[in-house]
Amino acid sequence: MSATPAPDRPRVLDRIGTRSITMTISGFATLGLLLLMLLTPVPYAVQGAGPTFDALGALEETELITVSGAQTYPTSGQLLLTTVTTAGGPGFPVDAGSVVRGWLDPGRRVLPVEAVIDPDVTAEEQDRLAQQQMSSSQENATVAALTALGYDVPAELTIVGADPQLGADGIVREGDMLTGIAVGSERTTVTTYQQLAEVLAATPGGTPVLLEVDRDGESTDLEIVTTGNGDGGSVLGVFLDAEFSYPIDVQIQIDNVGGPSAGTMFALGIIDELTPGEMTGGHVVAGTGTISLEGTVGPIGGITLKMYAAERDGAEYFLAPAANCGEAVEDIPDGLHVVSVSTLEEARDAVEAIGDGQTDGLPSC
């Protein structure tokens, strides 16, 4: 019987040690590459449900809406304007880790950056545009709300351009001040934007109209053929710069929020401040939507994220632009009642119905 030779322990230990070192180095290298990949900026944008703001309340002791020059009334409940946060694009890059977390979080949305932000626009330009849109929405909300309450809001309407595809191109000039409009034998003196909007809403597309303008101090009539607006009315195809004279002073103060989508909720807040009774009846009503000078509620982006923000912050009802309903119905948070609105009048009626507890007939998305 022969003896078994003793194992060569130093060689085995050397092999194990070398293999362990190689695996450790490889592991750290892989981890480093993974971390580098996760932290590398990628061409995506990540959107999330942003903060909400009460149009009837205050932010850091500053009232969002203040009115002077007219009787105001106590309010209750909340009218929440909703926002979306966006990371991605120039000045706000996102890394792969943020994108992965966005994909896994139902309260976030990941999109190619070009679908959200023009990559050729700088962060400063984006901020400037967003603030311009916010200022315009506040002006539109004020005019629409005061007009809805029966105030006349005089305006000087100056033509600053024309759509090259429509009938006014080559006829109007930059600087023409619009003073009247005639359809057939009926002439309307235009001293407010609402007067012009009402005439055009009742005029079918393809109708010849006479625009009365002040050109270099002289009154001039310009014949223009209108274009249909899709709702039975028409448009002139001119771009207007409106200088409004407000019958009362309305100030809207909100910082670090941009874009046009708060217009509808601002308008409702102004109306609630200026009308007797508590329009919401103590309920928390959130919403979104652009607002035009004549009170049309327009579509916005990020509707599902805004509904998440509303539900998160205690809203019971959400006012959604009718044009966004197709997207909204795909992901309505539990317990949130979504009401479809297309005009400021419909939005006001909806809030008053909510305040009165008469919600059975409200149109939903």
Side-chain angles (χ1 to χ4, degrees):
M1 185 173 181
S2 59
T4 302
D8 190 351
R9 294 186 182 277
R11 290 184 181 179
V12 171
L13 291 175
D14 285 346
R15 288 198 299 272
I16 294 174
T18 301
R19 186 181 304 155
S20 298
I21 292 171
T22 301
M23 291 177 65
T24 300
I25 293 173
S26 298
F28 277 117
T30 301
L31 180 61
L33 289 173
L34 180 60
L35 289 174
L36 179 63
M37 180 186 72
L38 291 175
L39 297 176
T40 299
V42 292
Y44 287 93
V46 179
Q47 294 185 320
T52 62
F53 302 91
D54 181 15
L56 302 177
L59 182 62
E60 296 180 353
E61 300 184 355
T62 299
E63 295 290 329
L64 264 69
I65 298 174
T66 56
V67 179
S68 57
Q71 175 70 52
T72 58
Y73 301 89
T75 62
S76 69
Q78 298 180 57
L79 290 172
L80 298 180
L81 58 101
T82 50
T83 66
V84 170
T85 59
T86 301
F92 304 98
V94 296
D95 53 44
S98 298
V99 170
V100 172
R101 289 193 296 273
W103 279 328
L104 298 175
D105 185 348
R108 294 182 182 272
R109 185 170 64 171
V110 178
L111 296 167
V113 70
E114 61 271 14
V116 180
I117 301 169
D118 185 345
D120 297 326
V121 177
T122 66
E124 292 76 15
E125 291 170 334
Q126 293 171 27
D127 288 342
R128 183 165 58 251
L129 174 60
Q131 288 307 311
Q132 289 171 347
Q133 291 173 328
M134 171 58 78
S135 296
S136 179
S137 76
Q138 293 174 0
E139 182 175 67
N140 288 3
T142 302
V143 173
L146 294 182
T147 301
L149 292 172
Y151 289 94
D152 284 332
V153 186
E156 289 186 354
L157 304 177
T158 302
I159 295 173
V160 294
D163 188 324
Q165 305 299 318
L166 302 183
D169 186 46
I171 298 176
V172 299
R173 294 183 188 173
E174 183 178 352
D176 286 346
M177 184 178 294
L178 198 158
T179 57
I181 184 171
V183 182
S185 61
E186 187 171 348
R187 182 179 291 265
T188 301
T189 299
V190 175
T191 58
T192 70
Y193 182 87
Q194 185 65 20
Q195 290 169 331
L196 176 64
E198 288 175 353
V199 171
L200 292 174
T203 302
T207 302
V209 301
L210 286 180
L211 282 191
E212 180 185 330
V213 302
D214 183 325
R215 176 178 290 178
D216 300 327
E218 294 186 2
S219 181
T220 303
D221 282 346
L222 308 174
E223 183 172 338
I224 294 173
V225 178
T226 66
T227 302
N229 64 1
D231 292 320
S234 60
V235 296
L236 295 171
V238 299
F239 304 120
L240 296 172
D241 177 42
E243 192 71 33
F244 295 101
S245 298
Y246 297 104
I248 61 177
D249 184 42
V250 178
Q251 297 292 326
I252 300 174
Q253 299 287 335
I254 185 168
D255 296 325
N256 301 318
V257 178
S261 64
T264 296
M265 301 310 290
F266 283 143
L268 290 171
I270 294 168
I271 290 172
D272 200 2
E273 294 267 2
L274 286 167
T275 52
E278 299 173 346
M279 190 162 65
T280 69
H283 292 281
V284 180
V285 181
T288 187
T290 64
I291 195 78
S292 69
L293 291 167
E294 62 268 29
T296 299
V297 176
I300 49 79
I303 185 75
T304 56
L305 297 175
K306 291 180 178 182
M307 290 190 300
Y308 272 106
E311 185 274 335
R312 178 199 65 204
D313 290 353
E316 306 159 76
Y317 299 90
F318 187 90
L319 306 181
N324 285 121
C325 275
E327 180 184 359
V329 294
E330 296 179 359
D331 196 11
I332 297 176
D334 292 340
L336 188 67
H337 303 279
V338 180
V339 182
S340 170
V341 297
S342 58
T343 66
L344 178 57
E345 182 180 8
E346 291 178 1
R348 179 183 179 183
D349 288 345
V351 176
E352 290 177 343
I354 291 167
D356 293 337
Q358 306 294 324
T359 59
D360 289 345
L362 290 178
S364 60
C365 285

